Amino acid sequence: MASESISVTTSDDQTIQLSRKHAQMSQTINSMLEDSVGADQEAIPLPNVSSEVLKKVIDWCTHHENDPAPVEKVKKLNKKREYKAKNSTISDEWDKNFVNAELRVIVDILLAANYLDVKGLFELMCKHIANELKGKTPDQIRERFGIQDDLTEEDKAAMRKAWGATKNDS
Amino acid sequence: MGNANTSQSRINFNLLGSDVIRCILKQLPYDDLLPASRVCKLWKNLVAEFYGPDRMIGDTLPLQLAVDTKNVRWANQLLNDKMTVKNQAIFLKAFSLEDMQDVFLDHFDLPWTAEITARVINIGCFHAWKKGYRAALDHGDRQVIFKSFVHVAEKDWKDHIKLYLKSKTFDTIHWDEYSIIRGSINLPTFSKRDRELIDGRRCGTAEVGPIVRVDSPTLDDVVRQPQPATWQHHDYGTDTGSSLSRSSSTDEIQWS
């Protein structure tokens, strides 16, 4: 019988125990567990996640451990790309408090959720960052997220020609 | 994938990689996609993968969806974009929405068909949308305007008549049309002062300088002389200082 807890080693060489249920909420860890069936139970290395961030991930997993498993979206057969703006409202009060953190921490959790493949957490972080982008001008977005403006004057002139100067745009 | 160590003091959003940024951008409402696409080259290319003003969203044009969702900011962005697909049906609907009508009128570059004219005139008549009403008078389908005018002239006619007489349409008015206008103002509901307004002797309540009408046509003139005449419009920059005149020697009627 498989043990009830899993050991993982973080990027800062901390060994952390997490329950099998929480570990299985990460597709990455789940795959590693499946690959290591029958082998000695060594700590699973997570070189891209710090202990501090992993604890946050575990907090989220603990709160959402009874949520229904996310359903894999069936890829549409037709090749036409359709985009529908998603509802980025965060309705869960606990989640609202969870994302009430420094942007630096949010980005780290997003990176961890992406690496560990925790779909619900990844989606929550994307929604939160999208909410941060809403209503901002390109300049404000670049400043808030530390993004370099690599658009050439030619690019900008083409955009102005195509779109004109609209309110709230730089 | 970058290191997710929180000891980093500086946020480097570029660490996220294009797949993650694409997921974030796909969470944005439509009206935030244009600013997002102006952030940097990567974001511009990512937005272009899944959104464009000329691309259907499901079975709906973006501009149609902007109108349906009453998203004025997005509609304004789309109307500024030359790639945006427009059609008469979208404009017809937008003209009837109070929040949308001005921005759509400012960007209206489709033909002023009878249907468009009728809708705009109608909205202008019943919802006091003077901007649209005036634009319809200046650019709209002549027959529709005239029929609408005669209809409204019997009701809340004062504002309409002022706008009508100031419109470009009036510059080239024909005798037969003028006779109908005069016919309509002779309805018993109009006072003498109202009739003077239409005759051009005064406008509103203010007496405005000398009467410059030389030989203004009467209803009898119209009946006797059904030939088209040339009208000139002279705008002296006031809503209350206008009068109508006709030169007997040149057969020109002047609006001054």
Side-chain angles (χ1 to χ4, degrees), chain B residues 174-183 216-227 231 246 253:
Chain B
H174 297 301
W175 275 108
D176 54 344
E177 293 174 340
Y178 184 69
S179 71
I180 293 170
I181 295 170
R182 289 186 64 85
S216 80
T218 64
L219 190 57
D220 291 341
D221 292 334
V222 173
V223 173
R224 279 199 305 271
Q225 190 179 359
Q227 298 88 355
W231 292 65
R246 182 182 176 206
I253 296 165

Side-chain angles (χ1 to χ4, degrees), chain B residues 12 69 76 99 112 114 124 133 153-154 156 161 193 205 211 218 250:
Chain B
N12 189 349
T69 56
N76 194 35
D99 293 342
W112 276 89
Y133 191 79
E154 296 174 20
D156 179 23
I161 231 160
R193 192 170 169 194
T205 55
I211 297 167
T218 64
T250 60

Side-chain angles (χ1 to χ4, degrees), chain A residues 30 32 41 75 123 129:
Chain A
N30 206 27
M32 289 177 178
Q41 291 295 311
K75 286 182 181 174
E123 196 170 304
I129 293 176

Side-chain angles (χ1 to χ4, degrees), chain B:
Chain B
M1 185 54 59
N3 193 323
N5 192 331
T6 53
S7 64
Q8 283 176 274
S9 58
R10 195 173 62 87
I11 302 158
N12 189 349
F13 212 69
N14 296 327
L15 274 180
L16 295 178
S18 56
D19 286 347
V20 178
I21 294 173
R22 186 185 291 108
C23 291
I24 294 168
L25 294 175
K26 282 190 171 183
Q27 299 279 351
L28 284 175
Y30 298 105
D31 53 338
D32 280 305
L33 287 172
L34 178 64
S37 69
R38 292 179 172 184
V39 168
C40 62
K41 278 184 180 173
L42 174 64
W43 287 34
K44 178 186 154 205
N45 293 334
L46 290 174
V47 170
E49 282 179 15
F50 58 87
Y51 170 76
D54 54 339
R55 280 191 236 165
M56 301 289 274
I57 298 169
D59 299 323
T60 314
L61 286 167
L63 191 59
Q64 177 73 60
L65 199 55
V67 173
D68 291 346
T69 56
K70 296 183 180 175
N71 188 332
V72 180
R73 184 184 180 220
W74 184 27
N76 194 35
Q77 288 173 2
L78 289 167
L79 289 167
N80 275 312
D81 191 331
K82 287 172 186 168
M83 298 289 284
T84 299
V85 180
K86 308 167 187 173
N87 62 43
Q88 184 171 296
I90 297 174
F91 277 90
L92 279 172
K93 181 164 185 189
F95 284 149
S96 63
L97 300 172
E98 201 172 326
D99 293 342
M100 290 277 175
Q101 50 194 200
D102 277 358
V103 68
F104 271 76
L105 185 66
D106 289 344
H107 290 89
F108 185 65
D109 54 3
L110 301 177
W112 276 89
T113 61
E115 196 178 2
I116 288 280
T117 308
R119 176 69 65 90
V120 174
I121 289 266
N122 187 270
I123 297 165
C125 291
F126 293 102
H127 300 282
W129 185 33
K130 285 191 178 177
K131 189 175 181 181
Y133 191 79
R134 181 70 196 266
L137 292 179
D138 284 348
H139 308 292
D141 181 273
R142 189 183 178 84
Q143 288 301 314
V144 173
I145 291 169
F146 198 72
K147 283 176 188 168
S148 301
F149 172 75
V150 171
H151 173 67
V152 299
E154 296 174 20
K155 295 183 177 176
D156 179 23
W157 62 280
K158 256 186 184 173
D159 285 344
H160 297 293
I161 231 160
K162 279 185 199 171
L163 286 166
Y164 184 77
L165 295 179
K166 284 163 69 181
S167 76
K168 287 177 187 168
T169 303
F170 190 71
D171 290 349
T172 55
I173 197 165
H174 297 301
W175 275 108
D176 54 344
E177 293 174 340
Y178 184 69
S179 71
I180 293 170
I181 295 170
R182 289 186 64 85
S184 73
I185 64 166
N186 282 330
L187 287 169
T189 52
F190 298 114
S191 66
K192 185 185 175 198
R193 192 170 169 194
D194 292 338
R195 289 196 296 274
E196 284 175 351
L197 166 66
I198 307 308
D199 281 347
R201 286 179 178 164
R202 69 173 73 191
C203 192
T205 55
E207 191 72 41
V208 285
I211 297 167
V212 294
R213 193 172 92 174
V214 179
D215 182 16
S216 80
T218 64
L219 190 57
D220 291 341
D221 292 334
V222 173
V223 173
R224 279 199 305 271
Q225 190 179 359
Q227 298 88 355
T230 304
W231 292 65
Q232 292 179 346
H233 180 223
H234 298 280
D235 189 353
Y236 287 108
T238 169
D239 281 342
T240 56
S242 301
S243 60
L244 187 69
S245 65
R246 182 182 176 206
S247 159
S248 56
S249 58
T250 60
D251 204 24
E252 280 187 353
I253 296 165
Q254 296 184 331
W255 176 252
S256 55

Side-chain angles (χ1 to χ4, degrees), chain A residues 3-170:
Chain A
S3 66
E4 288 304 307
S5 65
I6 308 291
S7 296
V8 295
T9 310
T10 58
S11 62
D12 48 345
D13 286 329
Q14 300 283 313
T15 301
I16 294 176
Q17 300 287 319
L18 62 158
S19 73
R20 180 167 288 270
K21 192 172 186 179
H22 293 163
Q24 287 176 336
M25 289 171 81
S26 157
Q27 289 302 310
T28 303
I29 298 177
N30 206 27
S31 299
M32 289 177 178
L33 289 173
E34 285 172 3
D35 290 345
S36 64
V37 171
D40 292 340
Q41 291 295 311
E42 291 178 3
I44 294 172
L46 300 177
N48 294 330
V49 186
S50 71
S51 57
E52 186 186 352
V53 172
L54 185 63
K55 282 172 191 166
K56 290 272 184 191
V57 174
I58 294 169
D59 283 349
W60 185 88
C61 289
T62 305
H63 181 73
H64 289 278
E65 64 185 9
N66 294 321
D67 288 1
V71 181
E72 281 289 334
K73 287 176 185 170
V74 180
K75 286 182 181 174
K76 290 184 179 175
L77 291 176
N78 63 355
K79 291 181 180 176
K80 192 168 73 173
R81 284 169 193 258
E82 287 182 2
Y83 160 67
K84 289 193 175 179
K86 293 170 187 168
N87 181 3
S88 58
T89 308
I90 298 169
S91 51
D92 187 314
E93 281 300 320
W94 189 92
D95 282 346
K96 279 184 192 171
N97 287 330
F98 182 76
V99 298
N100 187 17
E102 276 183 58
L103 185 60
R104 177 179 58 82
V105 178
I106 294 294
V107 170
D108 286 342
I109 297 173
L110 176 60
L111 286 166
N114 186 42
Y115 171 70
L116 296 171
D117 199 2
V118 184
K119 288 192 169 53
L121 180 58
F122 178 75
E123 196 170 304
L124 174 67
M125 293 296 112
C126 286
K127 275 185 182 179
H128 176 66
I129 293 176
N131 287 337
E132 289 278 308
L133 295 172
K134 280 183 192 171
K136 289 193 167 62
T137 66
D139 281 340
Q140 289 169 335
I141 293 171
R142 280 192 288 266
E143 190 182 336
R144 178 89 174 95
F145 295 96
I147 300 167
Q148 192 185 347
D149 179 6
D150 60 355
L151 292 166
T152 62
E153 281 307 313
E154 208 174 359
D155 290 332
K156 289 175 184 173
M159 283 181 179
R160 275 195 295 272
K161 196 175 176 187
W163 293 318
T166 56
K167 199 179 174 185
N168 293 329
D169 292 344
S170 64

